[in-house]
Amino acid sequence: GQSLEQPSEVTAVEGAIVQINCTYQTSGFYGLSWYQQHDGGAPTFLSYNGLDGLEETGRFSSFLSRSDSYGYLLLQELQMKDSASYFCAVSNTGGFKTIFGAGTRLFVKA
Amino acid sequence: EPEVTQTPSHQVTQMGQEVILRCVPISNHLYFYWYRQILGQKVEFLVSFYNNEISEKSEIFDDQFSVERPDGSNFTLKIRSTKLEDSAMYFCASSGDATYEQYFGPGTRLTVT
């Protein structure tokens, strides 16, 4: 089976940096993705890691360690609009099945 | 910017009725997915579809569910006999590469009464 663990909730202040961790257990791991979802909205893709290391996209970065079955999403220069739920998701071999974690609710305070 | 569209935005149906949820994926994408999300919970994978056949499906996707790509643009999810517990937001997604970015549609909220 597949399972993912991520914190349920994180609070940070505007301008700060926050890291959301994700650990996973899966067979046939292929890659780790991150999605953002605002209340009432659809998930939107943020980042994907197929190989170990850091991927950077603007204010967002994502890291993967396959040997540790661990990844994180790093959000820098937090803005109020970053308040949302963030999901890590693992894809199996071939990438045809993507399993989402339970999500981390990020609250950004002024 | 290309986007995935879904219709209807909200569907109310009675238990036992059949529903068809419709999606138009991004035109040059080859991989299609259906997910569902019960209010306040995580996004759950239902099925993936590639080359006109199901690639993977989850335990949720039982015989009551089916998918179809009836023409070159639409991708549908049919629930044959709806149950109360099928009430959820259903998202369609598509990608150009199975391992990479999935573009989600706005969702169809299904309410079974």
Side-chain angles (χ1 to χ4, degrees):
Chain A
Q2 291 164 300
S3 67
L4 297 96
E5 295 282 335
Q6 54 181 127
S8 60
E9 203 173 285
V10 172
T11 301
V13 296
E14 216 174 358
I17 298 172
V18 73
Q19 179 173 314
I20 300 173
N21 298 320
C22 175
T23 57
Y24 59 87
Q25 287 187 330
T26 183
S27 54
F29 174 85
Y30 205 82
L32 183 72
S33 302
W34 289 91
Y35 286 81
Q36 178 192 61
Q37 187 180 33
H38 286 98
D39 284 347
T44 56
F45 173 84
L46 292 177
S47 189
Y48 173 81
N49 293 78
L51 301 172
D52 285 0
L54 193 68
E55 291 285 336
E56 296 180 85
T57 311
R59 294 189 297 116
F60 297 164
S61 304
S62 59
F63 172 82
L64 174 66
S65 168
R66 295 169 74 115
S67 60
D68 295 322
S69 298
Y70 163 76
Y72 66 72
L73 178 71
L74 193 74
L75 298 88
Q76 303 182 72
E77 301 171 23
L78 280 175
Q79 301 174 10
M80 298 297 287
K81 66 179 182 179
D82 297 330
S83 293
S85 292
Y86 292 83
F87 295 89
C88 60
V90 292
S91 302
N92 67 341
T93 304
F96 291 112
K97 186 173 186 178
T98 302
I99 302 300
F100 282 69
T104 298
R105 182 85 182 189
L106 172 64
F107 296 95
V108 179
K109 302 188 302 185
Chain B
E1 186 173 321
E3 58 182 18
V4 177
T5 59
Q6 290 185 243
T7 53
S9 57
H10 191 190
Q11 173 89 52
V12 181
T13 189
Q14 289 190 324
M15 200 166 51
Q17 294 297 303
E18 175 184 286
V19 293
I20 297 176
L21 310 183
R22 292 184 164 79
C23 168
V24 179
I26 293 173
S27 62
N28 62 346
H29 283 183
L30 301 175
Y31 302 86
F32 314 115
Y33 311 84
W34 282 101
Y35 296 88
R36 79 173 187 192
Q37 186 176 34
I38 295 167
L39 187 63
Q41 297 187 25
K42 68 177 181 179
V43 177
E44 297 178 290
F45 171 81
L46 293 178
V47 66
S48 59
F49 192 86
Y50 170 71
N51 202 24
N52 282 320
E53 61 183 20
I54 290 173
S55 307
E56 289 262 13
K57 58 183 181 179
S58 71
E59 314 72 49
I60 302 168
F61 195 89
D62 61 21
D63 292 344
Q64 293 299 313
F65 291 86
S66 63
V67 289
E68 198 175 42
R69 187 152 164 82
D71 54 41
S73 59
N74 290 284
F75 180 51
T76 62
L77 174 70
K78 182 194 290 187
I79 309 175
R80 255 179 276 285
S81 178
T82 50
K83 309 185 196 66
L84 294 176
E85 53 266 36
D86 292 329
S87 294
M89 182 72 91
Y90 287 79
F91 291 106
C92 171
S94 70
S95 68
D97 180 323
T99 62
Y100 206 56
E101 177 176 1
Q102 293 183 27
Y103 290 79
F104 280 71
T108 293
R109 180 166 297 285
L110 177 65
T111 303
V112 183
T113 62

